Amino acid sequence: MKRFIISGIASLGLLSGASSAIAQSSHKTAQTEPFQRIEQPLVNKAIVTIGGLGLIGLELWWFLHYQSKSRGD
């Protein structure tokens, strides 16, 4: 069950990252915009995504697994 949840979260993160990368590549920035888009390396995007998913997993573990043992259930 844990592997199913972790793999589901990981696949959602990868799908959202891939879809945002596709959407960003198809979007062209106009020259009249006041801000310029800075493209980040794929490694940085992967590190941030994996770190975020790790923190989400840590929260889920804390509230679902650790808290139930501390109450004496």
Side-chain angles (χ1 to χ4, degrees):
M1 182 69 177
K2 288 181 185 179
R3 287 186 183 182
F4 178 73
I5 293 171
I6 292 172
S7 65
I9 291 171
S11 61
L12 284 175
L14 291 174
L15 285 174
S16 67
S19 65
S20 70
I22 292 170
Q24 287 178 2
S25 67
S26 65
H27 175 67
K28 303 228 181 207
T29 349
Q31 295 293 335
T32 59
E33 290 185 13
F35 300 106
Q36 185 177 9
R37 181 179 299 272
I38 299 173
E39 188 63 32
Q40 299 293 324
L42 185 60
V43 175
N44 290 355
K45 291 179 182 180
I47 289 171
V48 169
T49 302
I50 290 170
L53 289 173
L55 289 172
I56 290 170
L58 183 64
E59 277 188 58
L60 288 173
W61 171 80
W62 175 263
F63 286 109
L64 298 177
H65 181 69
Y66 186 76
Q67 290 286 330
S68 64
K69 286 187 176 183
S70 67
R71 281 189 246 146
D73 291 340

